[in-house]
Amino acid sequence: MNATLHDLHRPLGKTGLRISPLGLGTVKLGRDQGVKYPNGFAIPDDDQARQLLTLARELGINLIDTAPAYGVSEERLGPLLAGQREDWVIVSKVGEEFENGQSRFDFSAAHTRFSVERSLQRLRTDRIELVLVHSDGNDLDILQHTEVYQTLAELKREGKILAFGLSGKTVDGGLLALQQGDCAMVTYNLNEQAERPVLDYAAAHGKGILIKKALASGHACLKPGDDPVRRSFELLFGHPGVSGAIIGTINPQHLTSNVATAAAVLTGD
């Protein structure tokens, strides 16, 4: 019997959402251009994608991460999640569009609303649990000088989204995002821990934190024989501010192994 995360779901800050400590990232379901992976990969067909989602559910994963910038990821997830919508906490994004191999950014009120309405249609749902601003790196400028956050707050009041936040790149951006919103997605791994103050703030104020690039495995800083995945999860889940980590794999064995490792770390095995 494989280890699962069914009994290890945890609150995402004060959003009222309960999430599995690992979430499934779906960039590889929709896009194979301009993605920063060391090895090439083939986008899974519908059967493979369906099997991956079924496996994730069986392993106790209820968190799924997508974005308009992930090519056709949202359009594919809509039909794939049919009949199981209540089983999933969906995270999507606004702000970044990916077209013809290029990213462009639009944080205006009109585009933010358009983007969320489009995501609702693509995902074939009446609400998205969490929408994050897909930052271009200018976190503070986006939060202070565009209408994206106030528009997301309006969409939350309307019930179209249940929570919002920022997937950012800076400490200052992460802190402001948490002060004014529900959640921040931050980079935190064995190599990169500069955004740790955002985790500290979240822990002190009951805000949600999702980790991206959790397994940018710092092989260089490990002793021979150390398991980089286990060491990564020990780092993440050793911090009280961390709600969950997004793992973007399309390999069923990797997914099963990552879940087993996370479960062992979280239960002290």
Side-chain angles (χ1 to χ4, degrees):
M1 178 64 198
N2 289 325
T4 77
L5 303 173
H6 285 288
D7 297 328
L8 296 169
H9 289 197
R10 45 216 277 153
L12 179 65
K14 295 174 182 167
T15 61
L17 301 167
R18 287 186 67 81
I19 61 165
S20 49
L22 295 185
L24 184 65
T26 62
V27 66
K28 290 183 181 179
L29 291 187
R31 170 176 160 187
D32 59 1
Q33 297 174 280
V35 284
K36 304 179 187 75
Y37 291 104
N39 308 312
F41 63 92
I43 292 179
D45 64 26
D46 280 353
D47 278 345
Q48 292 169 314
R50 194 172 288 109
Q51 287 168 11
L52 189 73
L53 291 167
T54 300
L55 175 64
R57 284 173 70 203
E58 289 169 354
L59 292 170
I61 291 174
N62 76 336
L63 182 67
I64 194 158
D65 177 74
T66 184
Y70 296 170
V72 294
S73 173
E74 287 184 322
E75 285 109 311
R76 296 192 68 198
L77 284 172
L80 286 167
L81 299 181
Q84 41 179 288
R85 180 64 185 89
E86 300 307 315
D87 298 334
W88 295 99
V89 171
I90 297 179
V91 182
S92 194
K93 322 274 177 7
V94 293
E96 181 178 355
E97 298 286 326
F98 182 77
E99 293 153 356
N100 307 317
Q102 296 289 319
S103 281
R104 65 178 178 83
F105 293 88
D106 186 340
F107 303 105
S108 66
H111 186 268
T112 300
R113 183 168 285 277
F114 161 80
S115 181
V116 170
E117 299 278 7
R118 182 185 59 188
S119 293
L120 289 167
Q121 288 178 330
R122 288 175 171 177
L123 291 162
R124 302 186 182 183
T125 186
D126 61 353
R127 90 272 175 199
I128 299 170
E129 279 77 10
L130 175 64
V131 173
L132 299 173
V133 180
H134 225 158
S135 175
D136 60 3
N138 299 304
D139 296 351
L140 279 183
D141 189 57
I142 293 165
L143 293 173
Q144 292 172 331
H145 301 120
T146 77
E147 298 168 300
V148 64
Y149 238 44
Q150 68 196 60
T151 308
L152 290 175
E154 287 168 15
L155 289 159
K156 180 179 171 179
R157 286 193 290 274
E158 293 164 23
K160 290 175 178 171
I161 68 177
L162 304 187
F164 66 93
L166 174 79
S167 177
K169 303 189 179 182
T170 65
V171 170
D172 288 345
L175 294 174
L176 185 60
L178 289 180
Q179 285 164 26
Q180 299 180 351
D182 303 301
C183 181
M185 185 180 276
V186 302
T187 298
Y188 189 65
N189 58 47
L190 292 170
N191 284 345
E192 300 176 78
Q193 293 160 39
E195 291 174 69
R196 186 185 170 102
V198 184
L199 277 57
D200 297 340
Y201 181 94
H205 295 86
K207 298 288 184 165
I209 291 284
L210 296 177
I211 302 296
K212 54 187 170 183
K213 303 181 187 151
L215 297 180
S217 304
H219 292 279
C221 57
L222 295 180
K223 298 191 285 289
D226 269 0
D227 171 1
V229 175
R230 179 157 188 129
R231 286 293 306 280
S232 297
F233 290 160
E234 285 171 348
L235 173 75
L236 302 189
F237 297 121
H239 194 294
V242 173
S243 314
I246 303 298
I247 308 294
T249 186
I250 50 176
N251 180 315
Q253 286 77 31
H254 287 173
L255 190 63
T256 303
S257 165
N258 287 341
V259 164
T261 303
V265 168
L266 285 161
T267 57
D269 278 0

